[in-house]
Amino acid sequence: MPRRPSRFAPIAQVTRWTSAERGGVDLDLGEAVARVEIARDGAVRVRATTGRALPADPSEALGREPWRASNAEAFALEPAGVALAFDGADGAARVEIDERPFAVRVFDRSGREIAHLLDFAFAQDGAGRVALRAAPGERWFGLGGKTGALDRRGRSFVLRNRDHPVGDRVDPLYHSIPFLLRLANSEGEAARADGMLLDGCAPSHFDVAASERLRVVATAQAGGIDATIFPGPSPDDVLRRYTARTGRITRPPLWALGHHQSRWGYRSARDVRRVAREARRRRIPTDAIHLDIDYMDAYRVFTWHPRRFPDPRGLLQELRDAGFRVVTIIDPGVKVDERWAVHRDGEARDVFLRRRDGSPYSLKVWPRDSALPDFGRPEVRAWWGTQHEPFVDAGVAGIWNDMNEPAGWKRELRAGRLILPLQAQDLGDVVASDPADPKRRVSHESVRNAYGHLECRATHEALARLDPERRPFVLSRSGHAGIQRYAALWTGDTTSSWSQLALSVRMLLGLSVSGVPFCGADIGGFAGWCSPELFARWMQIGALYPFARTHSMWLKHRQEPWRFGKRVESIARAALELRMRLLPYLYGLFCEAEASGAPVWRPMFWSNPDDERAGAIDDQVMLGRDLLVAPVLERGARERDVYLPAGAWTAIDDDARYIGPRMVRVAAPLERIPIFARGGSVLPMRSTVRHVGEIPEEPLVLEVYPGGDAATVVIEDDGESPAYRVGMEARTPVRLRSRAGGRLRLEVGGREGEFGIDTRTVRVAVHGCPTPNSVWIDAVRLPVAGRPDDEVGAIWHWEGGVLHVRWTDAGAARSLEVDPAP
Ligand code: GLC
């Protein structure tokens, strides 16, 4: 790829159609066949390929949610063509199929065309190509964490999983998510979003209106075309439908939302202990320590180095007692070593990829010659899962799946610990099981993009099976559409540079709009030298990444938050303490992602699709609905411009208030990352802790920003087990009504659900509050400031524009009313 156009033969016309089951229609296209279906939520799937039958469907293997078939029935269109229509409670779509030339048009409930698929063409080797109309003024987002601008329009991209250091213009990289979210702003109409997934396991290519201004051309290298259109109209609607198909994240364990400390080069248990001790001594909030390849014995996966890590169980227990979980790296490459049980067993069970001629295949990775499991087969995934048993048993809390594009090399240079890959791997003649039909052997290349995804599936399912009381945590470098179901993604090998700090924001926004809510980049950058200033700025935004891990390469200086001097250490502490304080809010966002697929990080256009200025901004982030984060991404900058969309915004550190839409220039001394809360929001927070297992002094603080109405639900559970799925959670609905003249009413509903919470004190902080004249709880007027009211168990005081009210919370409903001074 890219392919020469001559390989492709266009499909001329529909010669016959027949109604298919599952709300669809089968089309005979002469040398090709197609099926078009409408799901109950209005998603439309178009599969097409040469030959007489559609290829086997990889949906099951990729962990797709079952297609919820509608009862749409095909009918003839006058004067020619065929149509399908469905209108139900969850969604609607109408599809019109042109017979000559063959084209598919999808309309949403309002009758607006949301996709026009045309110029279907196929090559003899199974490759398929389709074009989509792209109207002027539309923005196209998605394709995962691509480099460059967030709006992909005007560029071409290759989606083929590849191990390559991140660079400003490098493409492709580690993961491939062939999903596009289109935002259409047409004059006089409300903005509308819709999405398109080009599913399958093969590499693909997207020309996003680059060669031709008004069309997006998608090419899949094998398996023909398998495209699904997801109607909006809001970006949230698109992701809800996209993740209803590709799967959603389940609640991560709470510790995984804490700070992770990692480094390639924690060479011994002693080293790891020292890092843990320092983090606690210096009060740098940290929940997890990652062990990179150094912990293994000669880089054999599922082993521990006998001398440097002599007592893993003991080490893990000791760390656990100090509030740290341990995540170990596991690469797919299994060292070719007849004397070693894992390899021997794998050989005996024939789990490894082979060459076309049947001979064993190996490539060089850290342990030298390594065999790669054939994850397309369910029994290989199960075998891989079983290998994790001793690790889970020893207390390993999570698995980090690296090098799973898969990565490796043909030739290398070694000098002591230094390993320099010299020549890229060549998997050209490797065959693999077709995940869609595991008995079939196909070229590895044709199913390559599913490799890491299937490994993560195996790992995730193994962790859930081996320790059903704990929620799995898997981190991956590679991935495919739907990876969110099995793993968090990080962006791979970055460099410590200002441009890559800025790039990390765009890459994570790209991943977020592509359905991957749990994502992060190495805080401080992986390779290269990180200056103290860069580290401070990176930590400020990194502490707000959905996945916050400090990680670096072994050849460089150490990158723990205390390695850059006292000033930067306190900046890092403050950043991570803010994360700890935000945990209830952040957790709520992950619960939302689980329930509806909504991203944790959102681009500025997300809740303001009509605001075209917001659509062009990719150096600011919405953390959920209510927090706008404007990181400082330039060296030496001590102020920055921030775009505030319509509404009231309050800086969370000094309570300065602004009214958008407007661009403001705000101060950003090194100690400050500008963050604004939406007027009309209630942010559940708590006081800081050193790790999530510690009991916070203030377990729940409701930070109230008046200036609009808000409704939210505070979700609490044990943060560890899947018991919340059977009702072991506590849900507290909260509503805010802001009234004229600064009056407000906050209603905290009675706690629902079976998760028990001991009686505690809750604090409410109302920001930007004029001196109150009267404060009421449950219609009882509280005595003057500072004097508790025993009847309702509450007390208030006012300081510097913030009203603080504390009450005893035993789970009953409460209301707070504030009347400002006349
Ligand atoms: C890869 C990973 C990196 C890791 C290294 C050694 O480069 O991307 O995070 O530290 O391998 O395992």
Side-chain angles (χ1 to χ4, degrees):
M1 283 191 305
R3 302 287 191 183
R4 269 171 287 120
S6 57
R7 277 179 69 232
F8 286 90
I11 289 301
Q13 63 182 78
V14 179
T15 56
R16 205 162 58 93
W17 61 266
T18 41
S19 276
E21 287 167 14
R22 312 205 315 158
V25 61
D26 282 327
L27 306 166
D28 190 335
L29 305 166
E31 321 83 80
V33 289
R35 173 172 296 168
V36 182
E37 291 161 295
I38 305 180
R40 257 182 287 163
D41 65 356
V44 174
R45 186 173 181 197
V46 180
R47 300 180 68 204
T49 176
T50 43
R52 298 314 301 153
L54 292 170
D57 188 347
S59 292
E60 202 326 275
L62 294 175
R64 300 283 177 264
E65 293 291 340
W67 183 258
R68 291 173 58 227
S70 69
N71 58 4
E73 268 183 46
F75 54 94
L77 275 180
E78 291 302 327
V82 48
L84 271 179
F86 176 75
D87 197 335
D90 292 348
R94 177 185 166 88
V95 181
E96 293 187 6
I97 298 162
D98 299 344
E99 292 190 337
R100 194 178 312 189
F102 171 52
V104 179
R105 284 184 292 151
V106 181
F107 303 86
D108 68 6
R109 180 177 270 139
S110 70
R112 177 163 149 154
E113 185 179 287
I114 58 168
H116 187 167
L117 297 133
L118 66 167
D119 286 350
F120 286 81
F122 299 95
Q124 280 312 318
D125 61 4
R129 193 176 72 195
V130 65
L132 261 134
R133 281 256 165 87
E138 288 173 356
R139 295 178 197 273
W140 292 72
F141 301 96
L143 298 180
K146 290 290 184 191
T147 58
L150 198 57
D151 181 354
R152 313 297 189 210
R153 189 163 189 154
R155 283 175 298 152
S156 287
F157 302 91
V158 173
L159 282 88
R160 180 182 185 277
N161 296 342
R162 177 169 75 132
D163 173 22
H164 192 287
V166 176
D168 282 316
R169 265 179 282 276
V170 174
D171 182 68
L173 285 166
Y174 311 93
H175 62 260
S176 303
I177 305 182
F179 169 72
L180 280 166
L181 184 139
R182 161 170 52 187
L183 184 67
N185 289 87
S186 26
E187 220 153 292
E189 277 181 59
R192 300 178 73 98
D194 53 78
M196 203 265 291
L197 167 71
L198 186 73
D199 213 354
C201 305
S204 56
H205 180 266
F206 281 79
D207 178 327
V208 189
S211 318
E212 283 179 77
R213 227 171 48 80
L214 298 180
R215 60 170 59 196
V216 171
V217 181
T219 312
Q221 200 172 291
I225 293 298
D226 184 356
T228 306
I229 304 296
F230 302 96
S234 74
D236 272 323
D237 292 328
V238 176
L239 273 211
R240 192 180 66 247
R241 296 195 163 98
Y242 168 72
T243 55
R245 176 70 182 137
T246 55
R248 293 191 182 132
I249 187 173
T250 46
R251 289 182 202 179
L254 205 55
W255 63 263
L257 300 190
H259 172 231
H260 299 235
Q261 179 63 52
S262 179
R263 172 182 158 80
W264 178 4
Y266 290 153
R267 289 264 298 159
S268 64
R270 243 180 72 209
D271 202 358
V272 174
R273 282 197 185 95
R274 203 177 307 134
V275 170
R277 215 176 314 120
E278 282 301 286
R280 288 291 177 261
R281 192 170 77 76
R282 296 169 186 268
R283 291 182 296 107
I284 300 292
T286 304
D287 269 279
I289 296 185
H290 286 227
L291 299 184
D292 206 323
I293 49 174
D294 319 87
Y295 78 87
M296 298 181 217
D297 181 11
Y299 303 129
R300 290 179 186 87
V301 282
F302 308 113
T303 67
W304 296 86
H305 194 281
R307 216 174 47 252
R308 290 185 279 107
F309 289 84
D311 174 21
R313 187 182 295 271
L315 173 70
L316 267 45
Q317 186 57 51
E318 194 185 315
L319 290 169
R320 183 79 176 76
D321 294 342
F324 295 97
R325 313 293 173 119
V326 169
V327 176
T328 51
I329 197 169
I330 293 287
D331 294 344
V334 173
K335 185 176 172 64
V336 175
D337 180 352
E338 274 163 27
R339 293 159 306 160
W340 173 43
V342 174
H343 182 255
R344 243 188 358 249
D345 188 49
E347 279 276 87
R349 292 168 195 264
D350 191 22
V351 304
F352 299 119
L353 293 177
R354 292 177 175 276
R355 292 183 190 278
R356 198 171 300 283
D357 63 9
S359 62
Y361 172 78
S362 70
L363 80 175
K364 291 201 167 40
V365 203
W366 314 120
R368 295 182 198 266
D369 290 333
S370 308
L372 292 171
D374 182 10
F375 290 119
R377 278 183 272 157
E379 67 275 17
V380 176
R381 295 201 289 273
W383 174 81
W384 186 250
T386 311
Q387 308 306 317
H388 292 73
E389 200 171 330
F391 268 43
V392 171
D393 194 50
V396 168
I399 297 291
W400 166 18
N401 282 156
D402 187 23
M403 307 295 275
N404 51 355
E405 294 73 26
W409 43 89
K410 201 169 177 181
R411 287 194 316 121
E412 61 181 16
L413 191 83
R414 284 187 190 237
R417 287 175 58 209
L418 187 69
I419 303 170
L420 282 183
L422 286 184
Q423 191 183 358
Q425 55 154 336
D426 163 27
L427 271 77
D429 62 346
V430 172
V431 289
S433 305
D434 180 356
D437 178 6
K439 280 188 213 49
R440 249 184 95 217
R441 295 280 179 276
V442 293
S443 73
H444 159 77
E445 186 62 24
S446 68
V447 291
R448 177 178 175 85
N449 280 358
Y451 191 81
H453 181 98
L454 293 170
E455 183 203 23
C456 290
R457 177 176 184 174
T459 309
H460 183 101
E461 289 177 350
L463 296 183
R465 188 177 64 240
L466 293 169
D467 196 348
E469 294 307 309
R470 283 195 284 155
R471 305 178 198 167
F473 172 73
V474 180
L475 172 66
S476 180
R477 193 169 72 172
S478 185
H480 188 51
I483 188 66
Q484 65 271 6
R485 191 169 178 175
Y486 301 120
L489 279 193
W490 100 103
T491 59
D493 296 349
T494 52
T495 297
S496 302
S497 71
W498 290 92
S499 74
Q500 292 222 1
L501 167 61
L503 178 59
S504 80
V505 171
R506 299 196 301 275
M507 289 177 84
L508 297 181
L509 284 171
L511 274 167
S512 300
V513 308
S514 309
V516 184
F518 205 8
C519 54
D522 291 344
I523 296 172
F526 177 69
W529 184 74
C530 186
S531 72
E533 182 187 358
L534 178 60
F535 188 80
R537 292 308 195 188
W538 208 314
M539 183 53 98
Q540 284 172 334
I541 184 63
L544 299 173
Y545 286 164
F547 170 64
R549 183 182 74 156
T550 303
H551 179 59
S552 62
M553 197 173 158
W554 72 273
L555 278 170
K556 74 193 277 192
H557 61 120
R558 300 183 71 117
Q559 208 164 269
E560 292 90 15
W562 50 87
R563 299 279 173 184
F564 300 88
K566 279 278 165 244
R567 184 175 180 196
V568 173
E569 182 181 329
S570 16
I571 290 171
R573 183 180 308 111
L576 292 169
E577 285 182 351
L578 174 62
R579 185 177 181 94
M580 291 288 108
R581 286 168 47 217
L582 278 170
L583 210 61
Y585 176 69
L586 193 61
Y587 192 58
L589 296 179
F590 278 89
C591 294
E592 217 182 308
E594 175 182 55
S596 71
V600 172
W601 261 31
R602 304 173 187 174
M604 293 304 297
F605 69 77
W606 206 258
S607 355
N608 309 281
D610 288 309
D611 180 344
E612 296 209 27
R613 258 168 104 186
I617 287 181
D618 53 15
D619 63 350
Q620 295 180 194
V621 174
M622 291 303 304
L623 176 60
R625 173 186 170 271
D626 295 325
L627 280 179
L628 185 159
V629 184
V632 177
L633 306 169
E634 274 170 46
R635 183 164 73 193
R638 295 297 179 262
E639 50 183 16
R640 72 155 280 175
D641 290 333
V642 181
Y643 179 67
L644 300 170
W649 298 93
T650 303
I652 64 164
D653 52 358
D654 64 6
D655 276 353
R657 202 150 182 266
Y658 306 84
I659 302 293
R662 67 182 277 214
M663 194 65 104
V664 289
R665 175 152 280 248
V666 297
L670 195 57
E671 274 67 23
R672 182 181 207 218
I673 171 169
I675 303 175
F676 304 83
R678 181 189 293 279
S681 67
V682 180
L683 307 176
M685 292 178 63
R686 62 191 213 172
S687 56
T688 193
V689 284
R690 292 173 309 163
H691 61 92
V692 304
E694 220 172 49
I695 294 165
E697 208 172 297
E698 290 189 300
L700 185 60
V701 180
L702 300 173
E703 305 278 355
V704 176
Y705 291 91
D709 290 350
T712 186
V713 180
V714 180
I715 300 180
E716 294 163 278
D717 57 29
D718 66 18
E720 185 83 38
S721 81
Y724 72 89
R725 288 195 216 147
V726 291
M728 287 302 283
E729 62 168 0
R731 303 177 74 91
T732 309
V734 179
R735 288 176 78 94
L736 167 69
R737 290 167 205 277
S738 308
R739 305 215 176 104
R743 285 172 60 220
L744 68 85
R745 184 179 165 86
L746 183 77
E747 290 163 16
V748 178
R751 202 148 56 219
E752 297 153 16
E754 283 165 41
F755 181 66
I757 293 173
D758 292 342
T759 300
R760 61 186 175 182
T761 300
V762 166
R763 177 162 63 92
V764 175
V766 183
H767 294 262
C769 181
T771 345
N773 175 31
S774 54
V775 177
W776 305 71
I777 293 273
D778 300 341
V780 174
R781 184 173 177 170
L782 295 186
V784 290
R787 200 172 318 141
D789 179 291
D790 295 333
E791 191 194 329
V792 290
I795 184 170
W796 68 275
H797 78 279
W798 182 90
E799 200 185 327
V802 185
L803 167 73
H804 301 268
V805 183
R806 286 191 170 74
W807 67 60
T808 309
D809 164 39
R814 285 253 137 136
S815 70
L816 163 71
E817 263 181 286
V818 183
D819 225 338

